[in-house]
């Protein structure tokens, strides 16, 4: 296991060159919008800077932005040595909602990726453990319905 390092370094400086936009959702909660193709790189950089036991993805929150033709993923990341939570936000096309998995980098994302797939239909390339019925009952999965999609019909 790697030890925590560079705890004085701001997360934004570690991924500055791949941040498309920065927002704040709370006074102490920064959101970094990045291209979906850069999510693995961003996480890998944070792990390299802080150590593999110092980065924890607590939540993956998916949002259906039907009016924009997009799905949004918000990765809530605890940077433990800094006692800080940041959000990495990516957007993916709604018609082909696919993003690379993080499960091989941070195995703890299993539940978040499974929930997001089951409720919104977002595919995580490389995650061979994902299946329907993780959170959604069988009668809903049999209909092919992803219940958190705004156009879901029961």
């Amino acid at each position: 296991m790697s030890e925590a390092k560079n705890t004085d370094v701001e997360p934004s400086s570690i991924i500055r060159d791949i941040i498309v936009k920065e927002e704040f959702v709370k006074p102490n909660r920064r959101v970094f919008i990045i291209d979906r193709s850069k999510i693995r790189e961003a996480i890998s950089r944070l792990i390299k800077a802080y150590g593999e036991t110092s980065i924890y993805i607590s939540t993956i929150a998916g949002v259906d932005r039907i009016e924009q033709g997009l799905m949004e993923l918000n990765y809530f990341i605890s940077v433990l040595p800094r006692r800080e939570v940041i959000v990495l936000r990516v957007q993916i096309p709604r018609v082909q909602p696919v993003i690379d998995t993080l499960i091989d980098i941070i195995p703890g994302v299993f539940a978040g990726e499974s929930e997001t797939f089951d409720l919104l239909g977002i595919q995580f390339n490389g995650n061979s453990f994902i299946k329907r019925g993780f959170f959604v009952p069988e009668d809903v999965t049999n209909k092919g319905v992803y219940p958190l999609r705004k156009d879901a019909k029961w």
Side-chain angles (χ1 to χ4, degrees), residues 8-151:
D8 293 334
V9 178
E10 290 280 331
S12 60
S13 67
I14 296 166
I15 58 172
R16 174 64 57 209
D17 62 319
I18 60 176
I19 296 172
V20 175
K21 184 178 178 184
E22 183 175 350
E23 299 176 347
F24 288 86
V25 291
K26 292 184 177 182
N28 298 321
R29 177 90 30 96
R30 294 181 294 168
V31 177
F32 303 113
I33 300 168
I34 63 173
D35 185 271
R36 70 181 167 147
S37 66
K38 301 291 185 181
I39 188 65
R40 291 176 58 84
E41 181 180 347
I43 296 297
S44 294
R45 285 187 192 184
L46 292 169
I47 290 171
K48 184 177 180 184
Y50 297 115
E52 65 185 16
T53 60
S54 297
I55 299 297
Y56 172 69
I57 298 178
S58 59
T59 305
I60 302 173
V63 181
D64 185 1
R65 303 278 183 206
I66 193 170
E67 62 284 346
Q68 299 168 346
L70 298 169
M71 294 283 196
E72 180 179 280
L73 290 176
N74 295 283
Y75 294 83
F76 287 77
I77 302 167
S78 295
V79 182
L80 299 174
R82 294 184 52 80
R83 296 182 180 180
E84 180 177 2
V85 175
I86 63 170
V87 179
L88 294 183
R89 177 177 294 157
V90 299
Q91 294 181 327
I92 56 180
R94 195 171 187 280
V95 294
Q96 189 180 10
V98 178
I99 191 164
D100 289 332
T101 187
L102 297 175
I103 201 161
D104 57 318
I105 301 171
I106 299 183
V109 300
F110 172 73
E113 288 187 359
S114 295
E115 178 181 23
T116 304
F117 169 68
D118 213 12
L119 296 171
L120 285 165
I122 296 173
Q123 299 281 332
F124 291 87
N125 278 341
N127 186 336
S128 60
F129 304 105
I130 286 184
K131 62 180 180 169
R132 290 301 313 268
F134 190 78
F135 284 93
V136 177
E138 188 176 344
D139 63 321
V140 176
T141 62
N142 288 343
K143 294 176 186 173
V145 173
Y146 295 97
L148 291 186
R149 284 186 171 235
K150 291 183 179 173
D151 59 354

